Amino acid sequence: MVINNVKLDVITWNIFVDALCEEDRILEAQDTVETMIQQGVEPDIVMYNSLIDGYCLQGDMGKARKIFNSITDKGCALDVVGYNIMVNGYCKAKRIDEAMELFNEMARERLIPDVVTYNTLIGSMSQVGRLAVAQELFEEMSGNGLVPNMTTYSALYLGICKYGHIHEALGIFHVMQNTGLEPDIVHYNILIYGLCRVGKLEVARKLFCALTVKGLYPTVYTYSIMIKGLCKEKISNELFRKMEVDGCVPNICCYNVMIQGSLENKDILRAAQILREMVNKGFSADVSTASMVLDLLCSDSMDESFWALLKKL
């Protein structure tokens, strides 16, 4: 590409290629690189990383790996950014062992993993229940002089909460606070979620009520977590109505959680009322809600008032 007889340099080409990759136009990006080469401009590591990221975003790890493996043959040196892109791609594709292989390869290439590398692996290991490995990576990260950030801590105890190890999660939460990092609403959401999962609803409720004191405000997700937990105690409707008063408008998730909770508690009338309200607001039932409603319609114990309300939808 030549504009006003000015030949574009590799930095300008990089901007074009990166923009195409971010817009999921990877084939056009590849063609652009070929055009650039024909004009005598050689790709640099930044451009190769953009192409790798483009293929990773599409989930095509085969093509991403092919470009990654060819970089040194083309006279460029692999860098931490390229490894991070590949590690993240493999993690998103649930190919975590291959991500770990690349992580171990970095040492052989005398490249030092950064916070991004560790955060990606810690989060992925936590999500699939490989909590011991996640904690080992966390300790290794600190031992290598890297300072865990907010993302590191949330990635670690999201998995720990998911698998019911709430006491460990609380311990990490306190460690985080002792380092001077102030937890935000995302971290509190994770803890509240974990507490509700293991049935510690009173502790979850106290943490929820303390948010405003800490200068934080519940999000729709925070309310959804609490509503789902409190459905078991049949007091979720009060919180559901309070959230809108507090300026947090219920979304489709909140409505579905309320309907499911009401049906589980055999509160058919409330379920029908909320279902009608949800539909009037333009929301739809999710698969779980639709399945529960269908089961009720097919049962012998269906309430006539429920059927009457459904017919008005």
Side-chain angles (χ1 to χ4, degrees), residues 56-249:
C56 286
L57 289 171
Q58 288 190 340
D60 193 341
M61 294 308 299
K63 289 183 179 176
R65 188 61 185 261
K66 186 176 180 181
I67 294 173
F68 182 80
N69 289 342
S70 71
I71 287 175
T72 52
D73 295 336
K74 296 180 184 296
C76 289
L78 294 166
D79 64 0
V80 174
V81 174
Y83 272 97
N84 284 348
I85 292 168
M86 286 296 298
V87 166
N88 185 56
Y90 276 128
C91 286
K92 285 187 175 179
K94 309 299 182 187
R95 295 163 64 176
I96 298 177
D97 289 332
E98 288 167 272
M100 279 301 295
E101 287 174 13
L102 279 180
F103 173 74
N104 294 326
E105 184 182 297
M106 291 178 76
R108 296 194 294 272
E109 294 292 333
R110 297 188 177 182
L111 290 172
I112 301 172
D114 60 13
V115 174
V116 174
T117 322
Y118 279 103
N119 284 354
T120 302
L121 287 169
I122 289 169
S124 296
M125 290 295 178
S126 296
Q127 283 294 306
V128 298
R130 294 167 68 172
L131 304 180
V133 178
Q135 289 177 310
E136 284 174 14
L137 286 166
F138 178 80
E139 291 167 7
E140 178 185 313
M141 174 186 182
S142 302
N144 288 340
L146 295 172
V147 180
N149 58 20
M150 302 280 273
T151 303
T152 317
Y153 284 103
S154 60
L156 181 58
Y157 62 73
L158 177 59
I160 292 174
C161 285
K162 179 181 177 181
Y163 290 94
H165 303 286
I166 191 62
H167 292 296
E168 291 178 43
L170 287 168
I172 294 168
F173 185 79
H174 292 312
V175 168
M176 175 184 170
Q177 288 179 307
N178 291 336
T179 64
L181 290 174
E182 195 60 39
D184 60 19
I185 191 62
V186 174
H187 299 90
Y188 279 100
N189 283 348
I190 294 169
L191 273 186
I192 292 169
Y193 160 78
L195 289 164
C196 287
R197 269 185 73 88
V198 297
K200 294 186 176 294
L201 301 179
E202 191 56 37
V203 181
R205 186 163 24 200
K206 286 180 180 178
L207 203 59
F208 176 84
C209 293
L211 289 175
T212 52
V213 178
K214 298 177 183 296
L216 299 171
Y217 294 92
T219 63
V220 175
Y221 182 60
T222 321
Y223 277 104
S224 294
I225 297 167
M226 282 303 303
I227 288 168
K228 187 170 184 178
L230 294 176
C231 277
K232 299 170 185 176
E233 294 190 351
K234 303 183 181 181
I235 56 173
S236 56
N237 190 60
E238 180 183 340
L239 184 60
F240 180 69
R241 297 305 173 191
K242 182 179 181 296
M243 68 181 290
E244 196 157 8
V245 174
D246 290 344
C248 193
V249 181

Side-chain angles (χ1 to χ4, degrees), residues 8-22 26 28-38 40-56 63-64 67-68 70-71 74 76-79 81-82 85:
L8 302 183
D9 61 13
V10 69
I11 296 174
T12 310
W13 284 103
N14 280 340
I15 295 170
F16 285 123
V17 171
D18 188 58
L20 290 169
C21 290
E22 286 187 359
I26 186 66
E28 291 176 66
Q30 194 78 60
D31 289 341
T32 300
V33 174
E34 294 301 323
T35 301
M36 182 190 77
I37 293 171
Q38 290 170 10
V41 181
E42 289 299 318
D44 61 7
I45 189 61
V46 175
M47 186 166 294
Y48 285 120
N49 285 343
S50 292
L51 288 174
I52 292 168
D53 193 38
Y55 280 115
C56 286
K63 289 183 179 176
I67 294 173
F68 182 80
S70 71
I71 287 175
K74 296 180 184 296
C76 289
L78 294 166
D79 64 0
V81 174
I85 292 168

Side-chain angles (χ1 to χ4, degrees), residues 268-281:
I268 309 304
L269 182 58
R270 175 165 291 160
Q273 290 171 338
I274 296 173
L275 180 60
R276 184 178 183 182
E277 182 182 324
M278 179 179 75
V279 172
N280 288 340
K281 291 199 174 185

